[in-house]
Amino acid sequence: MEGLVPAQRAGMAKSALPLSVTMTATENPAYPSQYVADVLLKDGSTVHLRPTRSVDSSALRALLERMSPRSLYLRYHRAIRQISDEEVRRFTDVDYKDTFALAATLGEPPGERIIAVGLYSRVDGDRAEVAFTVEDSHQGRGIATQLLDHLAIAARDNGIQTFEAEVLGENRSMMDVFRDSGFPLESRIKYGTYHVAFPIEETAEATERAADREAWAAAASVRVFFEPKSVAVVGASRQRGTIGAELFRNVLRHGFTGTVYPVNPKARSVGGVKAYPSVLDIPDDVDLAIIAVPAEHVLEVADECAKKKVRGMVVISAGFRETGPDGAAREEALLTRARSNGIRLVGPNCMGVLNASPEVSLNGTFSPVFPPAGNVALESQSGALGLALLDYARELNIGLSTFVSVGNKADVSGNDLVQYWEQDPKTDVILLYLESFGNPRKFARLARRISAKKPIVAVKSGRTSAGSRAAASHTGALATLDVASDALFRQAGVIRVDTLEQLFDVANLLAHQPVPQGRRVGILTNAGGPGILAADACEGQGLEVARLNEETTARLREFLPPEAGLSNPVDMIATATAEQYGRALRVLLEDDSIDSVLAIFIPPLVTQAEDVAAAIRDAAAEHKGKKTLVACFMSAKGAPPELAAGDVTIPSYAFPEGAAMALAKASEHAEWTKKPRGAVIKFEVDYPSARRFVEKTIRTSKEEGLWL
């Protein structure tokens, strides 16, 4: 499963979540279960949509009886004192073709509650009248908009092309639903009532509007994980070294700016903080619950969170889909509880969430590492690997905005997260460690849009058959053919790297420097050998070691010794001073034939690395935002801290090859952003014939796998 997916149609950008539909033994075989969906609302909560059934009569009557007189008047254009049986039957006596009703529900049967309903009735050929009823306390959340989107899908399938409606002139909220849908609206008002009509075909504007609503809803729904006001740690333990103990102490140790509550039925306090036997015993509201209890108790905790109206759950516990059929059933039950109660879920089988911003300062993981605050967001599908990633980020001084380990991705996935990071002002670069795709089509659509604004860098493991098998046993992930992953990343503008080291090498550049505007590189060095290695590495990565123009060569000759090599690479020889580094860099950065500069330094006896680093930084400060500058300090001590000061940071690499790779990946991304977006081509396909051909080919082929 993978976060938000297009609702029932690959081409529609609707905010529906994936789910499995289980037919009961008494269910009507004609029941259109393909229109069942869990959807996100604009406040970030979820609601369940399903076609109505005859057994919904009492629940629908209860909905109408809960409506205020004002809402009933706006719906029926007259005062309603009593709900008639005929009015209830309009929503239940449907044939799913000429008449079709969708209910929006919360909770699980038998406690399921219908909070809204949408209905269309065919009036003439390809035209249908549409109407909506939303419970007063749930109005303004976007439910009617979702009902309209999904009714339109069903109507198109049944040959309806136009919706009509009669709306009182004072019913502004309903008119706003129609106007904001993106469908081309025609309306006229007579005697205080609007007659509205609009075609429901999939237009570019309607799709774009739906995508915008989806993005805002997805971002709102996961905001609770990164910006909670209160957190309950369920399973907080006094026993140091346990996950529950370290989780709770990490929240305290790193200065969470909200309120934290330990939940432990056997302890009066944990870490000096009053403990509560259950989430239900906490006297105040709880935004986020981080759950670290044995898998067999997680469902019970989820039920308590639902009663407490917790908005988000992070389930650290393992023992779900990754363990086999029984675990998969437990995970499905957990997801159903979350979806039915409007709760978003991270995990299970994950490491947790983190927000390094001083405004939140939440370490909701069991990692002792809290990275510096910065502009890089990081998602890891692997919890244990997340520990190493956080440690590596801190070692390289790469600041993070937020981090999340998604584990089994039962609900919240990379698709949800990239939409949050798209809107997060503190995030400029997005890093992903992926083992699988749940919904690659949607990821491609989102990444294509977001990559144009914020670079996405990804490591996709499971490239080989052995790796795919390991991924499946790790998080229950389904393998994705690697050549398909390559094509997806390339077309969506995602920067794919092969290793975690490369992931951070590229991130280091993107987080601190502008992307190169071309592939032409200038190389500055105080030793010939590294300069040659750098030149080879650059050309090997598809970069161009540029020819310096004559003016640049003449200016360099003015202050460099006669022995210096003034072609590219520029070899200042071992006696080069920090001042010469600074002057030479300024000259190279002003050369119009160069897009980026790689400055290499090997510590000689006479020049201090710290002085050279300061000179490089100062030269970069004068040209900030104009050209890309990276460094390579080839020393066991690594890069001096002087490379970063104020709002200027120069990425530094241990060897020239790493710098060349990062420059090449950034250059490729810059080229991608300049390409025309193009358009998706729709092909007419004879699906029955294609299916027969594929089945015959597979049946008669002697190969294990083949390309068609």
Side-chain angles (χ1 to χ4, degrees):
M1 299 179 186
E2 175 89 5
L4 308 177
V5 300
Q8 321 304 336
R9 297 290 181 274
M12 287 292 288
K14 309 303 182 194
S15 48
L17 296 103
L19 73 167
S20 59
V21 179
T22 304
M23 302 283 284
T24 64
T26 58
E27 186 65 272
N28 179 359
Y31 184 75
S33 57
Q34 68 269 30
Y35 301 110
V36 179
D38 289 303
V39 298
L40 280 177
L41 305 178
K42 64 183 182 181
D43 62 1
S45 60
T46 61
V47 70
H48 186 64
L49 300 186
R50 62 167 177 79
T52 58
R53 300 169 295 210
S54 58
V55 294
D56 291 327
S57 296
S58 59
L60 286 164
R61 175 177 290 279
L63 164 65
L64 296 173
E65 291 176 347
R66 290 194 303 269
M67 302 286 291
S68 68
R70 171 68 175 171
S71 292
L72 288 174
Y73 168 73
L74 293 176
R75 167 65 180 84
Y76 293 104
H77 301 192
R78 68 184 191 277
I80 299 290
R81 295 185 178 180
Q82 186 173 2
I83 305 299
S84 66
D85 292 340
E86 180 183 355
E87 184 54 43
V88 174
R89 282 197 296 270
R90 287 191 66 205
F91 298 111
T92 57
D93 291 354
V94 293
D95 60 12
Y96 306 122
K97 182 178 180 181
D98 293 331
T99 56
F100 195 107
L102 278 175
T105 72
L106 291 176
E108 300 175 68
E112 182 187 52
R113 173 179 173 139
I114 295 178
I115 61 171
V117 64
L119 168 74
Y120 81 68
S121 299
R122 194 187 302 264
V123 293
D124 180 25
D126 60 0
R127 303 174 74 88
E129 185 179 11
V130 65
F132 304 94
T133 302
V134 181
E135 187 174 335
D136 291 61
S137 60
H138 294 281
Q139 292 175 8
R141 299 174 61 205
I143 297 176
T145 299
Q146 289 289 352
L147 287 170
L148 173 59
D149 284 346
H150 287 72
L151 278 176
I153 295 171
R156 284 195 297 270
D157 289 347
N158 290 320
I160 292 172
Q161 298 179 16
T162 303
F163 274 170
E164 300 177 349
E166 300 290 332
V167 184
L168 286 178
E170 56 196 291
N171 193 353
R172 295 181 179 178
S173 59
M174 195 67 246
M175 287 300 295
D176 287 341
V177 169
F178 291 135
R179 291 190 183 106
D180 295 341
S181 67
F183 295 121
L185 191 68
E186 295 180 3
S187 65
R188 64 179 187 272
I189 189 166
K190 187 177 181 180
Y191 305 123
T193 300
Y194 283 104
H195 177 76
V196 177
F198 51 93
I200 57 173
E201 63 179 339
E202 295 181 71
T203 64
E205 183 179 358
T207 301
E208 184 177 350
R209 292 279 187 92
D212 288 343
R213 291 194 295 268
E214 174 193 16
W216 281 103
S221 74
V222 299
R223 188 168 288 117
V224 67
F225 297 105
F226 300 120
E227 305 170 35
K229 298 292 187 295
S230 55
V231 173
V233 179
V234 184
S237 173
R238 290 176 166 179
Q239 184 178 349
R240 295 304 303 269
T242 62
I243 288 178
E246 300 313 310
L247 263 168
F248 179 69
R249 282 164 176 79
N250 281 348
V251 177
L252 290 181
R253 181 186 306 122
H254 296 110
F256 174 51
T257 57
T259 306
V260 59
Y261 304 96
V263 176
N264 185 326
K266 298 180 180 179
R268 296 183 60 185
S269 66
V270 177
V273 180
K274 180 182 178 180
Y276 297 88
S278 160
V279 170
L280 295 172
D281 297 310
I282 297 173
D284 302 312
D285 293 338
V286 174
D287 288 338
L288 178 64
I290 304 176
I291 301 169
V293 300
E296 58 266 26
H297 299 304
V298 168
L299 295 181
E300 177 185 349
V301 173
D303 288 335
E304 294 171 351
C305 287
K307 292 178 183 177
K308 186 66 178 174
K309 299 189 183 305
V310 171
R311 293 166 50 214
M313 296 187 299
V314 178
V315 178
I316 308 294
S317 316
F320 291 85
R321 188 174 71 234
E322 78 281 3
T323 62
D326 291 343
R330 185 183 296 119
E331 184 171 310
E332 185 66 25
L334 173 62
L335 179 61
T336 299
R337 281 166 166 77
R339 293 274 175 82
S340 300
N341 294 283
I343 302 173
R344 295 308 311 262
L345 167 68
V346 167
N349 184 31
C350 73
M351 176 184 159
V353 297
L354 181 150
N355 187 337
S357 168
E359 298 168 6
V360 179
S361 196
L362 171 65
N363 185 0
T365 76
F366 49 84
S367 168
V369 175
F370 196 70
N375 62 346
V376 177
L378 174 59
E379 177 212 336
S380 173
Q381 194 166 345
S382 166
L385 191 58
L387 291 168
L389 293 175
L390 290 178
D391 195 36
Y392 199 47
R394 185 175 66 174
E395 180 183 338
L396 295 176
N397 199 35
I398 294 177
L400 297 187
S401 57
T402 45
F403 163 83
V404 59
S405 158
V406 292
N408 290 7
K409 297 192 296 185
D411 179 25
V412 171
S413 72
N415 287 346
D416 302 300
L417 295 168
V418 294
Q419 291 180 96
Y420 170 81
W421 287 323
E422 177 185 18
Q423 299 177 28
D424 179 22
K426 292 184 172 12
T427 296
D428 295 321
V429 181
I430 299 169
L431 307 185
L432 306 175
Y433 167 73
L434 303 172
E435 294 178 356
S436 66
F437 291 105
N439 184 5
R441 184 190 298 271
K442 179 172 183 184
F443 177 82
R445 174 172 58 82
L446 295 175
R448 185 176 176 82
R449 182 185 76 224
I450 297 168
S451 291
K453 297 178 285 187
K454 298 183 179 183
I456 300 175
V457 191
V459 172
K460 168 67 172 66
S461 63
R463 300 177 70 115
T464 64
S465 57
S468 297
R469 289 194 301 271
S473 63
H474 180 207
T475 56
L478 294 176
T480 304
L481 196 63
D482 196 59
V483 69
S485 298
D486 259 337
L488 185 155
F489 287 141
R490 185 173 59 256
Q491 293 184 23
V494 175
I495 303 170
R496 181 174 190 174
V497 293
D498 297 329
T499 66
L500 295 176
E501 182 180 15
Q502 291 179 354
L503 182 77
F504 283 101
D505 282 347
V506 175
N508 202 4
L509 187 155
L510 295 173
H512 299 123
Q513 289 288 301
V515 294
Q517 294 306 301
R519 292 176 174 263
R520 302 170 301 175
V521 181
I523 301 170
L524 180 67
T525 179
N526 65 344
I532 297 170
L533 289 174
D536 286 343
C538 286
E539 291 212 346
Q541 292 283 351
L543 300 172
E544 176 188 348
V545 180
R547 286 182 175 273
L548 306 182
N549 63 44
E550 293 181 3
E551 181 184 355
T552 297
T553 303
R555 291 177 63 188
L556 291 171
R557 189 176 292 114
E558 291 174 1
F559 59 89
L560 291 180
E563 301 87 353
L566 301 184
S567 61
N568 193 12
V570 176
D571 180 7
M572 299 186 296
I573 72 174
T575 58
T577 65
E579 180 186 4
Q580 289 173 327
Y581 260 98
R583 290 186 65 180
L585 274 177
R586 288 175 175 86
V587 171
L588 292 178
L589 289 168
E590 292 170 3
D591 189 329
D592 292 338
S593 64
I594 290 175
D595 300 305
S596 58
V597 177
L598 167 57
I600 303 172
F601 177 76
I602 291 185
L605 297 176
V606 293
T607 307
Q608 297 298 315
E610 294 80 5
D611 296 336
V612 172
I616 293 174
R617 180 201 65 218
D618 292 344
E622 296 178 15
H623 292 264
K624 186 182 179 187
K626 298 177 182 177
K627 290 189 178 180
T628 310
L629 176 59
V630 298
C632 175
F633 277 67
M634 300 180 68
S635 165
K637 295 180 180 179
E642 284 78 7
L643 282 174
D647 58 351
V648 176
T649 297
I650 311 301
S652 184
Y653 301 87
F655 299 103
E657 292 80 4
M661 181 279 304
L663 284 171
K665 294 291 186 182
S667 299
E668 290 170 9
H669 180 70
E671 292 171 354
W672 179 85
T673 61
K674 297 173 184 175
K675 291 180 179 179
R677 295 297 86 180
V680 176
I681 300 174
K682 294 185 177 179
F683 297 96
E684 294 296 328
V685 179
D686 180 354
Y687 286 101
S689 296
R691 182 178 296 277
R692 286 193 298 271
F693 177 78
V694 170
E695 289 175 347
K696 178 181 178 181
T697 304
I698 293 174
R699 190 169 56 251
T700 58
S701 173
K702 297 180 180 179
E703 303 177 48
E704 275 192 30
L706 69 159
W707 281 95
L708 290 179

